[in-house]
Amino acid sequence: MRQSDELNELFTALSLAQGEISDAMKDATNPHFKSRYADLASVRAAYRAPFAKHGLALMQLPTTSGAKVSVQTILSHKSGQFIAETLDAAAAANTPQAIGSTITYLRRYSAM
């Protein structure tokens, strides 16, 4: 994990935003497991307005190397304070569809 030297303003804003964030709607279905889940759009919708109100931003930067997919997620505050972490996974295949699906999966889990 990487982070700025100071985190006080980021943590203050994050605590205020978390008090306003509702659970993401489970609006998608996984037919393989016959379960419902919150898709990426629902996850983003849950935090977008509270984050903007409190000067927070969530950036997600995907990279690939063959079927290895990485998403670096950066939580930042208008003060310049930040926390960043990278999550890696192997795509089911080295195809655009499989890689895109893995990127979306990593973005959704990192944002949650």
Side-chain angles (χ1 to χ4, degrees):
M1 183 175 78
R2 294 183 314 113
Q3 66 187 49
S4 56
D5 291 336
E6 299 293 327
L7 297 171
N8 59 313
E9 291 185 58
L10 170 66
F11 286 168
T12 298
L14 184 58
S15 68
L16 293 170
Q18 284 179 329
E20 299 173 14
I21 295 172
S22 299
D23 291 340
M25 297 295 298
K26 291 185 177 183
D27 55 358
T29 304
N30 180 331
H32 182 72
F33 292 107
K34 297 182 174 86
S35 62
R36 299 189 57 71
Y37 67 95
D39 66 8
L40 180 59
S42 293
V43 171
R44 292 184 67 226
Y47 70 76
R48 187 179 300 123
F51 270 29
K53 178 179 176 182
H54 296 287
L56 296 164
L58 190 73
M59 297 171 283
Q60 296 186 299
L61 312 169
T63 57
T64 62
S65 178
K68 180 186 175 193
V69 178
S70 301
V71 172
Q72 180 184 39
T73 299
I74 305 167
L75 174 63
S76 63
H77 182 256
K78 65 183 178 180
S79 66
Q81 296 177 1
F82 73 94
I83 298 173
E85 185 59 271
T86 301
L87 187 59
D88 303 313
N94 190 11
T95 65
Q97 176 63 34
I99 290 170
S101 177
T102 305
I103 290 170
T104 300
Y105 184 87
L106 292 175
R107 288 183 64 206
R108 183 166 55 93
Y109 271 87
S110 293
M112 289 190 297

